[in-house]
């Protein structure tokens, strides 16, 4: 009898231990990286959690439980808990779509909160749920259905080309002046070159060059508005200047005074083709983890909204990290198949980095070496980042050469600065944009998403939704006429 009692007590003890909950954590990924928004469920129960932006999760379960890992378009996987406290799984892509997981991330939440609700929606539904469009019979991108809703990030713009007097005032004193000097940017002596045809219409893709004392100073190319902005730098009373145009095998020029700020040319030339090239270069280091999932949603939305009146629209993507990481750059060249670029974007995630600076110079080099259409009406490079390049003389020389290359090819650089950036990032990126006749964009705290964003140095700016702002800029620089 005593033996039986002992056995029963031991059995109850074992069952009690097995019934106790333990905390299990881990990561859900595929062969391309973490899977944000993956479902982690306790089998035969309604208890579950969702992985965060980096694919990480945490759940409480008993040793006797089995965890079920699911993700749209991937084969599910079951793992017995036993005594494990860490369970990492790699899901296999199935190519099938049985259900759509929709997150409630469209609801405004407190900063830095990653938990959110999950609902399951039949793929046969048609409509919008949490900012995601679901259409019967049409395949969805393998990860887009788990993205946050687009239209959440907020941003401001400082167009220093249009507000040049304010820009010069900022860069003639204080920290901005020191940073421009450090990276060897000179913003003195602005000269605008305007090129039109015989009807007064602007002509894009006309090569321009500025000579000082018969020495080539700077090259550029006219944009969709027929404009090109070049810089004389400091000058003296004895300096002489010449502006030359290059088009259709022809060369013509005009001598200008050292104080002349505008030069106009009328030429007999055809307008550029109604095509645009847009490249997105995205910092994918760990410091971007608080916002990269949202940026991906915004970019996909922007790619889909490029004006249909454009004859040809092509998009490309560069993602970059830093030297010593798993990779420095990854890129997909220009394609008119927007979905191809979206799918490439979907599998990217934030990781690596370590120190503050990143391989910005390599991102520029790779991005500018893609197959840009030299006949396009507009060429735009959106540089999305939160940290500067490493400062050394080699990088100073490389960045100056890449900025010069962008200007000569008529590629406007538009930085989009995220949380965590400091003033060096802001002032250096504003030099990038001015030097290529682009504009400067920065995320703001108004969305409540991500870490804190620095206050931009400007007299005033308007807060907009980031996706609307970027679409507006694309249409503006492509000369697209929008309805009022």
């Amino acid at each position: 009898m005593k033996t039986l009692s002992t056995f029963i007590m031991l059995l109850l003890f074992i069952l009690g231990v097995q019934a106790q909950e333990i905390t299990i954590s881990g990561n859900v990924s595929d062969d391309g990286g973490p899977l944000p928004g993956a479902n982690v469920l306790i089998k035969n129960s309604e208890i579950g959690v969702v992985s965060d932006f980096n694919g990480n999760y945490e759940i409480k379960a008993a040793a006797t439980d089995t965890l079920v890992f699911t993700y749209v378009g991937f084969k599910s996987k079951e793992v017995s808990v036993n005594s494990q406290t860490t369970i990492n799984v790699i899901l296999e892509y199935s190519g099938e779509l049985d259900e759509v997981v929709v997150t409630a991330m469209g609801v405004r939440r407190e900063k830095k909160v990653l938990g959110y609700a999950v609902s399951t929606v039949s793929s046969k539904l048609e409509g919008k749920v949490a900012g995601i469009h679901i259409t019967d019979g049409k395949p969805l991108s393998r990860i887009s259905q788990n993205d946050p809703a687009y239209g959440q990030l907020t941003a401001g713009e400082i167009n220093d080309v249009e507000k040049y007097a304010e820009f010069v005032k900022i860069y003639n004193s204080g920290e901005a002046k020191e940073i421009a000097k450090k990276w060897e940017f000179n913003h003195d002596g602005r000269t605008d070159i305007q090129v039109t045809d015989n009807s007064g219409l602007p002509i894009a893709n006309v090569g321009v060059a500025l000579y000082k004392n018969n020495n080539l100073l700077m090259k550029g190319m006219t944009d969709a508005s027929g404009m090109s902005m070049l810089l004389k730098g400091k000058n003296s009373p004895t300096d002489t200047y010449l502006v030359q145009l290059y088009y259709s095998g022809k060369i013509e020029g005009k001598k200008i005074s050292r104080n002349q700020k505008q030069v106009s040319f009328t030429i007999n030339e055809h307008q550029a083709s109604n095509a645009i090239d847009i490249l997105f270069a995205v910092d994918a280091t760990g410091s971007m983890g608080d916002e990269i999932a949202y940026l991906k949603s915004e970019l996909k939305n922007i790619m889909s909204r490029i004006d249909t009146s454009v004859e040809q629209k092509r998009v490309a993507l560069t993602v970059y990290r830093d030297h010593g990481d798993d990779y420095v750059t990854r890129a997909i060249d220009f394609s008119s198949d927007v979905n191809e670029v979206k799918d490439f974007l979907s599998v990217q995630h934030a990781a690596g980095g370590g120190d503050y600076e990143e391989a910005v110079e390599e991102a520029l080099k790779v991005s500018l070496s893609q197959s840009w259409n030299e006949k396009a009406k507009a060429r735009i490079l959106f540089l999305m980042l939160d940290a500067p390049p490493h400062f050394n003389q080699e990088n100073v020389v490389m960045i100056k050469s890449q900025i010069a290359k962008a200007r000569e090819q008529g590629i406007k650089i538009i930085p989009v600065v995220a949380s965590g950036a400091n003033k060096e990032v802001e002032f250096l990126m504003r030099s990038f944009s001015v030097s290529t006749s682009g504009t400067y964009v920065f995320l703001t705290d108004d969305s409540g998403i991500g870490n804190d964003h620095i206050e931009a140095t400007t007299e005033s700016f308007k807060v907009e939704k980031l996706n609307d702002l970027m679409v507006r800029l694309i249409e503006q620089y492509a000369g697209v006429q929008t309805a009022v």
Side-chain angles (χ1 to χ4, degrees), residues 8-29:
I8 293 173
M9 290 177 64
L10 180 61
L11 180 62
L12 291 173
F13 174 79
I14 292 172
L15 292 174
V17 169
Q18 289 180 331
Q20 288 180 358
E21 288 188 335
I22 57 176
T23 300
I24 305 148
S25 61
N27 183 269
V28 186
S29 63

Side-chain angles (χ1 to χ4, degrees), residues 1-287:
M1 186 60 123
K2 184 176 180 182
T3 302
L4 178 61
S5 299
T6 303
F7 174 77
I8 293 173
M9 290 177 64
L10 180 61
L11 180 62
L12 291 173
F13 174 79
I14 292 172
L15 292 174
V17 169
Q18 289 180 331
Q20 288 180 358
E21 288 188 335
I22 57 176
T23 300
I24 305 148
S25 61
N27 183 269
V28 186
S29 63
D30 69 346
D31 56 4
L35 293 177
N39 291 310
V40 184
L41 304 171
I42 297 176
K43 190 174 182 178
N44 299 323
S45 79
E46 296 182 357
I47 300 171
V49 296
V50 177
S51 62
D52 68 16
F53 297 152
N54 297 313
N56 298 321
Y57 73 94
E58 184 175 287
I59 190 171
K60 289 185 177 181
T64 53
D65 285 334
T66 297
L67 298 185
V68 181
F69 298 83
T70 62
Y71 195 86
V72 178
F74 288 74
K75 296 178 181 179
S76 63
K77 189 168 186 176
E78 296 186 6
V79 179
S80 298
V81 174
N82 297 322
S83 59
Q84 300 179 86
T85 57
T86 301
I87 300 177
N88 299 319
V89 298
I90 299 176
L91 299 183
E92 182 181 353
Y93 183 53
S94 67
E96 298 176 354
L97 184 62
D98 297 323
E99 60 181 21
V100 177
V101 176
V102 182
T103 68
M105 297 181 80
V107 180
R108 178 168 293 208
R109 86 284 188 273
E110 295 298 319
K111 284 186 183 180
K112 308 181 188 74
V113 175
L114 299 181
Y116 47 89
V118 175
S119 59
T120 302
V121 183
S122 168
S123 61
K124 297 186 181 299
L125 291 177
E126 181 174 345
K128 285 189 176 181
V129 183
I132 300 167
H133 188 63
I134 308 166
T135 305
D136 184 25
K138 294 185 179 180
L140 298 178
S141 172
R142 58 184 283 193
I143 295 184
S144 63
Q145 60 268 24
N146 290 282
D147 286 342
Y150 59 78
Q152 295 192 76
L153 291 179
T154 54
E157 177 202 5
I158 304 175
N159 192 321
D160 288 314
V161 174
E162 294 180 356
K163 301 166 65 176
Y164 206 72
E166 179 186 320
F167 174 78
V168 170
K169 182 180 178 181
I170 292 170
Y171 276 74
N172 277 345
S173 62
E175 189 176 3
K177 181 178 181 179
E178 293 303 313
I179 291 169
K181 182 180 179 181
K182 173 181 175 180
W183 290 95
E184 299 183 13
F185 280 94
N186 189 328
H187 304 298
D188 294 321
R190 173 177 173 171
T191 306
D192 294 337
I193 294 90
Q194 173 76 61
V195 181
T196 58
D197 64 11
N198 294 322
S199 301
L201 296 176
I203 303 296
N205 295 332
V206 176
V208 299
L210 178 63
Y211 289 82
K212 178 180 180 179
N213 301 328
N214 296 321
N215 295 313
L216 178 62
L217 192 62
M218 184 177 288
K219 285 185 176 181
M221 186 174 287
T222 58
D223 60 16
S225 67
M227 293 287 294
S228 180
M229 187 184 80
L230 300 181
L231 302 167
K232 298 191 191 79
K234 299 291 185 181
N235 61 73
S236 65
T238 59
D239 290 329
T240 60
Y241 292 91
L242 170 69
V243 174
Q244 285 188 335
L245 300 189
Y246 301 85
Y247 63 98
S248 301
K250 301 176 184 178
I251 301 177
E252 62 177 275
K254 290 182 180 181
K255 289 184 178 180
I256 63 173
S257 69
R258 66 188 184 91
N259 295 320
Q260 191 168 340
K261 296 181 179 179
Q262 294 181 328
V263 189
S264 297
F265 291 85
T266 301
I267 63 175
N268 183 19
E269 181 70 354
H270 297 294
Q271 295 190 51
S273 67
N274 188 22
I276 57 175
D277 275 359
I278 303 167
L279 187 148
F280 302 93
V282 183
D283 179 348
T285 55
S287 62

Side-chain angles (χ1 to χ4, degrees), residues 199-435:
S199 301
L201 296 176
I203 303 296
N205 295 332
V206 176
V208 299
L210 178 63
Y211 289 82
K212 178 180 180 179
N213 301 328
N214 296 321
N215 295 313
L216 178 62
L217 192 62
M218 184 177 288
K219 285 185 176 181
M221 186 174 287
T222 58
D223 60 16
S225 67
M227 293 287 294
S228 180
M229 187 184 80
L230 300 181
L231 302 167
K232 298 191 191 79
K234 299 291 185 181
N235 61 73
S236 65
T238 59
D239 290 329
T240 60
Y241 292 91
L242 170 69
V243 174
Q244 285 188 335
L245 300 189
Y246 301 85
Y247 63 98
S248 301
K250 301 176 184 178
I251 301 177
E252 62 177 275
K254 290 182 180 181
K255 289 184 178 180
I256 63 173
S257 69
R258 66 188 184 91
N259 295 320
Q260 191 168 340
K261 296 181 179 179
Q262 294 181 328
V263 189
S264 297
F265 291 85
T266 301
I267 63 175
N268 183 19
E269 181 70 354
H270 297 294
Q271 295 190 51
S273 67
N274 188 22
I276 57 175
D277 275 359
I278 303 167
L279 187 148
F280 302 93
V282 183
D283 179 348
T285 55
S287 62
M288 292 288 289
D290 62 320
E291 290 172 324
I292 196 167
Y294 293 91
L295 284 171
K296 286 162 64 174
S297 292
E298 306 296 2
L299 293 187
K300 291 175 186 178
N301 174 251
I302 291 162
M303 291 179 196
S304 301
R305 290 173 57 189
I306 299 173
D307 195 272
T308 54
S309 67
V310 175
E311 177 186 325
Q312 181 191 55
K313 59 180 181 181
R314 302 193 310 163
V315 292
L317 179 69
T318 300
V319 291
Y320 71 96
R321 289 182 179 171
D322 201 5
H323 301 280
D325 289 339
D326 291 343
Y327 66 87
V328 179
T329 60
R330 286 177 177 169
I332 182 170
D333 203 353
F334 283 101
S335 174
S336 55
D337 183 353
V338 174
N339 288 328
E340 180 184 4
V341 182
K342 284 183 179 179
D343 286 341
F344 179 78
L345 174 63
S346 289
V347 298
Q348 309 306 322
H349 65 282
D355 57 1
Y356 184 53
E357 295 81 5
E358 314 297 359
V360 180
E361 72 287 346
E362 295 294 340
L364 283 176
K365 184 178 179 181
V366 170
S367 298
L368 293 173
S369 67
Q370 301 303 322
S371 59
W372 293 87
N373 179 4
E374 61 182 18
K375 295 182 179 180
K377 196 173 183 181
R379 291 170 289 275
I380 302 172
L381 194 169
F382 287 102
L383 178 58
M384 317 184 82
L385 77 176
D386 66 353
H390 293 272
F391 177 73
N392 54 57
Q393 194 55 40
E394 182 181 357
N395 280 355
V396 170
V397 172
M398 180 184 288
I399 286 173
K400 285 179 64 180
S401 68
Q402 295 305 312
I403 295 296
K405 182 178 180 179
R407 183 173 55 245
E408 291 173 21
Q409 295 182 357
I411 300 169
K412 295 182 184 293
I413 296 178
I414 302 178
V416 180
V417 173
S419 65
N422 60 18
K423 280 299 174 182
E424 178 167 13
V425 178
E426 176 187 338
F427 293 137
L428 180 58
M429 290 305 107
R430 289 172 73 171
S431 286
F432 279 22
S433 63
V434 164
S435 298

